Structure formats: C-alpha cells, structure tokens
Amino acid sequence: MSTPGHESDRTRRHHVRIVEQEQISDGVYYLRVERPFDFLPGQCIAMAMSQISPARYYSLASDPADTEIGILYDLVPGGALTPHLSRLRSGESVWLSDPFGTFVDDEGPAVWIATGTGVAPFLSRARSLAGDILRSRKWLIHGGRTNDRFYFGQELARRMPDRFLRCCSQCEPSLLPAGSTGRDEFDPIKLPEAGLYRGRLTVWLTQALAARIFEEGSRFLLCGSAGMVVNVRDMLIAAGIPFDRILSEIYF
Amino acid sequence: MKLPLFGTTLPQLEEIAESMGLPPFTARQIANWLYRKNVRSIDAMTNLSLASRDRLASDYVMGLEDPAKVSASTDGTRKYLYRAGSAGNPGGSRFVEAAYIPEANRSTLCLSTQIGCKMGCLFCMTGKQGFQGQLSATEILNQFASLPEKNSVTNLVYMGMGEPLDNLDPVMQSLEILSADWGYGMSPARITVSTIGIVPGIQRFLSESGAHLAVSMHSPFEEERRRLMPVQHVYPLREVLELLRSSDMPRQRRVSFEYIVFGGLNHSPAHVKEIARLLAGIRSRVNLIRFHTIPDTPLLPATDEQMIIFQNRLKAKGILTTIRKSRGEDILAACGLLSTRELTSPAVAADY
C-alpha cells in the first residue's frame, strides 16, 4: 500500500470494488469501497467513474485502520459524477486517486466545525482517535437546516458525549418542547438535550466563544460550504482567535 | 426558455443552423454579426433571409444585456454592474461586477467568471459573499460586448469575481470566441487568466489556450499560504509549480505570480529567498499588489516603502518584479474589493 502524506500521485488511479452503497438521507450517500492505500484522517481523494473521466474530490470519512474506505457525498443533480455514482451497486467499481491534502488535525485541543457532508473528515478523525483524547480535547459542532442533515449523528454522539453538538437552523416544530419559543437558550455548562441546539450554528458559536468554553489554544478546523467557512472564520477572527489557528477546507 | 445566441462557438452555430434547416454558411454569417459587427438583435443580421431570422428568433435570443449600473472613480476607472445567473432571460436578481481600467497606452477590462466565489481566501471581498452561481460563456463575454468603452479595450484580464478555473467550460469557451478568427480575433497575448492554482484547470488551460496565465501566490511558504488560501490544502503551490515547470510553453507566453503584500507578514528576506528558490527554472515575473483592506480581516496593508524594498530584493535575485498600480479603490473596484453581496440574497436558507 502507498504511504500517506502529501507526496501523492494524483494522476494515478486505483480501480476499487464497491463493497456497499447506502443512501443515508435525501440526496446523500455513503459509499464503502475496498481500501488500496493508507491515509491520514482529513485527507481527500479524487474519484471518477473511469481512468479518464472527470474526477471530483471527497474527504475520506472512515477510520484509516478499516479495511474499507468510506466516502460521504451529496448527489449533485446534473453533475458529471454523482448521478452515475449513486446508481452503482456492490461488486461494481470506481477509480480513486492516491490520498492527498493537509487538512489534518493533531492531538491538541481543537474545535471541529462542519456543515452537511463537511463532517466527513471529522468523522474519520473521530473514528481513529483514542477515546480519551476525543472526549477531552475535541469538540464537533455540526450545522444543518433540518434534523435529517446530521449524518452519523448517533455514532458521533456515542463517541463524543457532551462534545458533539448539532445545530439545527430550521428544526421541525415537533422537535421543540411544549411552550418553547422556538430557539434554545445557551448554557455554558451543559449541552442542549440530546446534543441538539435548535438555532443557528453561528449563534451558538458566538455565545460559546464569549463564554470561553473551549480550551485555551484550541485550533478551529472548518469544513463545508464556502459560505459557512467564510462566515465562521470571520466570526472567529472577530472573537480574537488568531487566524493562524483557523484551518479551512472548502468543498468546491 | 429561449437560449442565447451570443456566446456560442462556430461549431455550435453550425449545429444550430443544421437543426433549423438553414444553409451551412449561415453559421459563419451569424458569428460575424455577433463578434465582428457587434449587432444587438437578430433582426440586424441583414444578410440572413427574413425567414432565417424569424426561425432563429423563434428559439433564440441575443443574450446581451447592458450594464445595470456604473460607478466612476476619480482615477478614471469605471466599475460596471451586470445582471447574471439568468442567461437569455433578463431581469434576474443576481449581479457581477467588471472593472474598466483606462491608462495612457492601454485599457484593460477586468472580467468576472462567477457570481461570488467558493475559494474563501482570507483577503478577498468576493469570497465573503460565498458562491451563488457560475457565469455562462454568454455572461462572461457580455461584460465585454456590452461595455460602452468596448472599442477602447486593448487587454482583457480574468481577474474579477470568482475563480476562472472553477468554471472551466464557459471560461474556455469564452477564450475560444475571443481569439478565434471567426470570433473577435483578439490576440491571446492580450488576455490573461488568473487562478489561485486549480491544477487540473491549469493543465487544460495551457493545452487549449494561448492566453497568459497568472497564479496567485501570496506566500511561498505552505503553512502560511494555507492560512491565507484554503485551496492550499487541496492544490499546494508546489504542485502548481511542478506543472508549470513540466509544461512546454512557448517563449512569448509568460506566467505571472500575483503577490499581495501584507504588512508585517509576507515580505521578509526569508520570503524573498524562498520565492527565488521556488521560481527557479520557470520563466515568470512577480506582480506585487497592494492589499486593499476589507472588513473583519486581521491582515494589514504593507507601506509603500515595504513594497519597494521587497521589490528591490526580488529584483536583486534576478526576478522580474513589478508593483501593480491600484486603480478604482474609491469605488471598490481594486483587487479583492469586488462584491455584489448586498445585492444577492441567498437562494436557500443557510445551514449555519
């Protein structure tokens, strides 16, 4: 197997067999393929339907120690890859590049912030990191419009109790307690019930920064839409976080 | 919905002519009207029969649109606002900006290629508005075709809103139309496309276009560049440089490295040394740009003195280095300041 790191050959493609593909939410899929290389959590691959067809980039979502690779992706209607990709079944195959990228976290204190499928690199990291470090030094804040946008939420909640928060910007009324105003109040000590904050990620984060709940010296790793990354980065900088402690991965 | 005729290539026009049962030579006639005679309506294509014009008009619109607004700088720069995201259907609610920059012996039009931008560079206002959509070839070229000063334009730069190589097909199509003899017939040497370094896009650009390439460097150090430009995670500068070094480029084709100088950050002797090391063997120049402060940024502009010292140090290393004159700063048309954020409402509710 090739060794992980950035010195990869992105032009080389591995022909890998699909183990399983599952639609885990409306327009969102999780693909498992056999693993032909080693990688670091946070790295990406280029994926294509053939050796010469256009590739698209995805973060790896699985534990590097697993025998399979997991890739979480959005189906893009009319896209060059995902409409075809989503129709593939077990036994069929795709082409992957060597892993690449430097959006790699260390074992120091960190706040992971994601929207949508941007949770993928953090999922990989959470699966690979020792439990004590994960539960004491890492936070994961995942933003989504509705409650079906928090992929692998139960697994993450199990791995990171009290450190994994879903921020649901347009939660369904049925999720709100009786008499609720529609938005949760911020509590610096205790996460909302079931780790679900009914409100915007940016609102919760602003209050969390003001209440200084994150460990001193934490790095902030952002992954998701360009809009989220830019907005949250601006917010962090305005809150006094040095910009060299903010790492951003934008999906494009 | 009718499709736009403007912004189509000759092969596309040949397909259109064939599908409509028009004579094959009609395609060249239409191209000539669109790109040499600059007509604004299908009716004006008077060497096409009335029946041919009617046939075309039944399925196509011109696709041209006048600027919605213009701002004039005290230095002569003009910033134009164009509707976008509504190809062939005027009245859309999204906009892009283009900057016309006249000088004594040249006049440059700076074109946009996307509505907003996905790349999230720390120093750019366009990135702050996020990404709202791609421009079609029609909309890219419309910024040129509908410019009141069109006949004065000597140079085109793809340095406006958006990352051109993240919108590759329309950008390549627009370049083809600009330089083809059936199109505008413009020399590729008068066109520059700027990129933050999308490697697959650069590969295609170098193989299909003769236009010049500008690459945003802003730091020669990977870690530092990563903080300024998230793209560094995916396409590190090193890979871009490897590609350029291995590409077979003719002598007249230059690569310029754009370098915004931030006060106290990226203009030290160590930066000079590393830039010289990285650019060894690549026929290029470095274009230093003043940082134009944007809201909520931790970055500072360098002083004039700092910029000149940096320039001199790079020149002493044998690197051709220029300082770009800032233009249109008072109307927010200078580098990194273009934005239509206030005019653009998000298409879907944010998930953050």
Side-chain angles (χ1 to χ4, degrees), chain B residues 33-53:
Chain B
W33 285 114
L34 291 175
Y35 307 124
R36 296 295 181 139
K37 298 214 169 58
N38 306 304
V39 296
R40 307 288 292 181
S41 69
I42 294 173
D43 263 347
M45 300 181 185
T46 50
N47 65 359
L48 272 63
S49 68
L50 277 172
S52 295
R53 280 179 265 167

Side-chain angles (χ1 to χ4, degrees), chain A residues 65-244:
Chain A
D66 284 351
T67 55
E68 297 161 1
I69 283 174
I71 299 165
L72 182 65
Y73 69 91
D74 290 294
L75 190 155
V76 177
L81 172 66
T82 54
H84 310 287
L85 187 66
S86 65
R87 291 193 286 268
L88 295 180
R89 294 291 167 258
S90 305
E92 296 186 273
S93 58
V94 288
W95 294 80
L96 304 185
S97 71
D98 278 344
F100 60 90
T102 54
F103 188 66
V104 175
D105 193 16
D106 57 26
E107 292 191 347
V111 182
W112 303 334
I113 301 170
T115 49
T117 53
V119 74
F122 306 128
L123 182 59
S124 177
R125 189 64 172 141
R127 286 169 165 172
S128 64
L129 202 55
D132 57 338
I133 296 174
L134 186 61
R135 288 189 282 270
S136 66
R137 309 215 82 187
K138 309 294 183 186
W139 281 85
L140 173 56
I141 319 299
H142 192 188
R145 286 193 295 280
T146 50
N147 204 28
D148 62 339
R149 296 288 136 186
F150 302 109
Y151 318 117
F152 298 95
Q154 287 185 340
E155 177 187 340
L156 287 164
R158 192 177 67 250
R159 289 182 183 274
M160 306 175 71
D162 301 323
R163 289 279 180 134
F164 168 56
L165 180 71
R166 294 164 289 153
C167 296
C168 185
S169 64
Q170 294 180 59
C171 252
E172 291 158 5
S174 60
L175 289 176
L176 304 178
S180 166
T181 57
R183 290 291 175 262
D184 285 334
E185 297 298 321
F186 177 79
D187 183 336
I189 307 300
K190 187 167 157 305
L191 283 188
E193 190 177 331
L196 177 70
Y197 172 76
R198 286 156 287 213
R200 287 182 176 274
L201 179 156
T202 44
V203 171
W204 187 89
L205 187 60
T206 301
Q207 294 174 91
L209 291 166
R212 298 178 176 274
I213 70 168
F214 304 125
E215 187 177 336
E216 190 72 29
S218 287
R219 293 202 306 168
F220 292 79
L221 284 77
L222 284 48
C223 184
S225 66
M228 181 280 282
V229 166
V230 170
N231 273 271
V232 171
R233 186 178 61 195
D234 279 356
M235 182 194 310
L236 292 170
I237 290 169
I241 305 296
F243 76 90
D244 61 358

Side-chain angles (χ1 to χ4, degrees), chain B residues 35-312:
Chain B
Y35 307 124
R36 296 295 181 139
K37 298 214 169 58
N38 306 304
V39 296
R40 307 288 292 181
S41 69
I42 294 173
D43 263 347
M45 300 181 185
T46 50
N47 65 359
L48 272 63
S49 68
L50 277 172
S52 295
R53 280 179 265 167
D54 283 345
R55 187 78 185 83
L56 273 173
S58 65
D59 288 348
Y60 293 91
V61 290
M62 281 295 285
L64 290 166
E65 196 158 335
D66 289 331
K69 185 181 164 188
V70 58
S71 308
S73 167
T74 53
D75 66 21
T77 302
R78 291 177 157 244
K79 184 172 75 170
Y80 287 93
L81 188 71
Y82 288 94
R83 283 189 202 282
S86 57
N89 287 286
S93 60
R94 295 186 287 183
F95 298 86
V96 293
E97 296 183 316
Y100 172 70
I101 308 159
E103 293 174 272
N105 54 3
R106 63 195 262 163
S107 292
T108 303
L109 176 64
C110 177
L111 299 170
S112 293
T113 53
Q114 296 180 315
I115 309 168
C117 184
K118 297 175 197 167
M119 302 302 158
C121 298
L122 190 59
F123 43 79
C124 181
M125 273 305 286
T126 310
K128 283 183 178 291
Q129 79 179 66
F131 174 75
Q132 286 82 45
Q134 305 283 25
L135 293 191
S136 62
T138 301
E139 290 167 321
I140 293 171
L141 289 171
N142 180 63
Q143 296 167 69
F144 171 54
S146 298
L147 184 76
E149 298 89 350
K150 176 184 170 299
N151 293 334
S152 305
V153 172
T154 58
N155 294 76
L156 288 173
V157 297
Y158 286 59
M159 294 182 180
M161 298 171 69
E163 162 55 54
L165 303 189
D166 185 45
N167 187 21
L168 199 50
D169 287 342
V171 163
M172 296 308 297
Q173 184 161 319
S174 69
L175 290 170
E176 184 186 355
I177 293 168
L178 284 168
S179 56
D181 57 6
W182 50 259
Y184 286 103
M186 187 179 273
S187 166
R190 295 187 172 275
I191 306 170
T192 302
V193 173
S194 179
T195 176
I196 55 171
I198 309 293
V199 169
I202 295 175
Q203 279 174 320
R204 184 174 162 195
F205 171 78
L206 291 177
S207 69
E208 293 182 22
S209 172
H212 293 301
L213 180 69
V215 177
S216 297
M217 181 188 281
H218 309 318
S219 173
F221 297 115
E222 295 202 354
E223 187 61 39
E224 187 172 76
R225 192 170 187 260
R226 197 153 51 219
R227 289 182 230 126
L228 296 171
M229 304 163 71
V231 74
Q232 172 75 11
H233 283 296
V234 183
Y235 297 115
L237 182 64
R238 180 169 34 81
E239 272 193 39
V240 176
L241 297 174
E242 278 167 21
L243 172 59
L244 293 175
R245 216 173 255 112
S246 65
S247 296
D248 184 23
M249 287 195 286
R251 281 206 70 78
Q252 64 271 26
R253 193 172 196 178
R254 66 169 186 264
V255 179
S256 60
F257 288 93
E258 310 297 293
Y259 198 100
I260 300 175
V261 189
F262 303 107
L265 183 70
N266 62 345
H267 52 93
S268 72
H271 286 86
V272 171
K273 190 175 171 187
E274 185 63 5
I275 290 169
R277 189 187 73 80
L278 290 177
L279 297 190
I282 300 176
R283 196 164 53 247
S284 62
R285 72 170 196 197
V286 173
N287 193 17
L288 302 180
I289 301 169
R290 284 182 178 76
F291 174 53
H292 304 110
T293 310
I294 59 175
D296 303 319
T297 180
L299 302 168
L300 299 170
T303 63
D304 286 349
E305 189 186 358
Q306 285 172 328
M307 291 197 65
I308 291 168
I309 291 171
F310 190 47
Q311 179 189 30
N312 288 339

